[in-house]
Amino acid sequence: MTSRSDTGRLREVFTSAAYDITPSPVPLAAIAAAGRAHRRRRTAVLATTCGLLLVPLAVTAVQSGPFSSDPAGSPAAPATVHTARVVAPGERVQAAPKVQLWLTKNGKHWSTPQKADQFRSVTDGNLDMSRPGVGLQGEPIGKDYFLSGIYHGKGDAATVKIKTAKGTVTGTIVRLAGKPGWGAWYATTPLPDMTVPKAKQKHHFVRSITVYDTTGNTIATLAQP
């Protein structure tokens, strides 16, 4: 059994020995490096986890084509499709400001501020019902030039292109119901240069008129020098 005096002496011995021990320096650099490595491993784990969570979202974005901002993957815009205006005999069409146009089984009728109730027969002029052709009538209406005519030809006419000295314009096709084999067209363009006498004009103001069907094929055309 150890006495109190022995215990006291042992305490003094341990205390003296402890003062003689020089502690090792704290490895601060190693601790800091270990901490950085731990943080890197934790960041990598979090990034991997977040990436796995975002994969379904990325797949959804790829599959939802309309929301893609990639022009190469977007479908091309559909071309504008023109169609003829089908009218009943005698039905008035507002072809231009203060200009009305209508059809009967005999041909094209139109009225302008300068002249009312004009008429062009479907068999009149140089047109031949047995073959494709396009007619032309033109007159100034205010600051514009009103152009119209009758066409003959097979197929469903959809649109008409008029090439003039001032550019190309798109006109409107008007026809009766069924397949009469003819119809009318109209358009407006800027006025031609009225200061040049016709005798000195090298070319017609209207260079060509072409009527197209719904597939873009030519039904009838008129070319002027």
Side-chain angles (χ1 to χ4, degrees):
M1 190 171 182
T2 305
S3 64
R4 290 185 178 180
S5 57
D6 294 334
T7 302
R9 284 197 297 272
L10 287 173
R11 185 179 292 113
E12 291 175 358
V13 170
F14 285 130
T15 301
S16 177
Y19 281 121
D20 293 335
I21 296 174
T22 302
S24 302
V26 178
L28 297 177
I31 293 174
R36 287 193 297 271
H38 176 70
R39 285 194 296 272
R40 284 196 297 270
R41 286 194 301 272
R42 185 172 61 181
T43 301
V45 171
L46 289 174
T48 303
T49 304
C50 292
L52 292 174
L53 291 174
L54 289 175
V55 166
L57 297 178
V59 172
T60 302
V62 170
Q63 291 176 344
S64 57
F67 297 98
S68 174
S69 60
D70 181 11
S74 303
T80 302
V81 178
H82 298 276
T83 56
R85 179 169 178 175
V86 179
V87 296
E91 180 181 347
R92 302 294 178 106
V93 174
Q94 194 72 36
K98 301 180 180 181
V99 177
Q100 289 188 332
L101 182 146
W102 64 100
L103 302 180
T104 64
K105 64 179 181 179
N106 297 320
K108 179 192 69 164
H109 305 253
W110 74 104
S111 288
T112 70
Q114 289 78 20
K115 190 175 181 180
D117 298 326
Q118 301 182 66
F119 173 69
R120 195 74 171 184
S121 172
V122 69
T123 59
D124 194 11
N126 298 320
L127 294 181
D128 184 354
M129 284 288 289
S130 65
R131 59 184 180 183
V134 181
L136 168 65
Q137 292 82 50
E139 53 199 305
I141 305 293
K143 295 182 179 180
D144 294 321
Y145 201 39
F146 179 69
L147 306 174
S148 65
I150 291 176
Y151 71 88
H152 296 160
K154 296 180 180 180
D156 295 326
T159 189
V160 57
K161 298 284 186 180
I162 304 97
K163 183 179 180 181
T164 74
K166 292 192 174 184
T168 301
V169 296
T170 300
T172 301
I173 296 291
V174 180
R175 65 176 179 84
L176 298 173
K179 295 185 180 294
W182 69 278
W185 64 271
Y186 66 86
T188 56
T189 72
L191 281 171
D193 187 358
M194 299 295 189
T195 61
V196 180
K198 287 188 176 181
K200 294 185 178 181
Q201 293 178 7
K202 295 182 179 180
H203 303 283
H204 288 85
F205 175 71
V206 176
R207 306 293 173 79
S208 66
I209 306 164
T210 306
V211 178
Y212 299 95
D213 66 12
T214 54
T215 61
N217 293 320
T218 299
I219 289 181
T221 187
L222 168 67
Q224 298 191 119

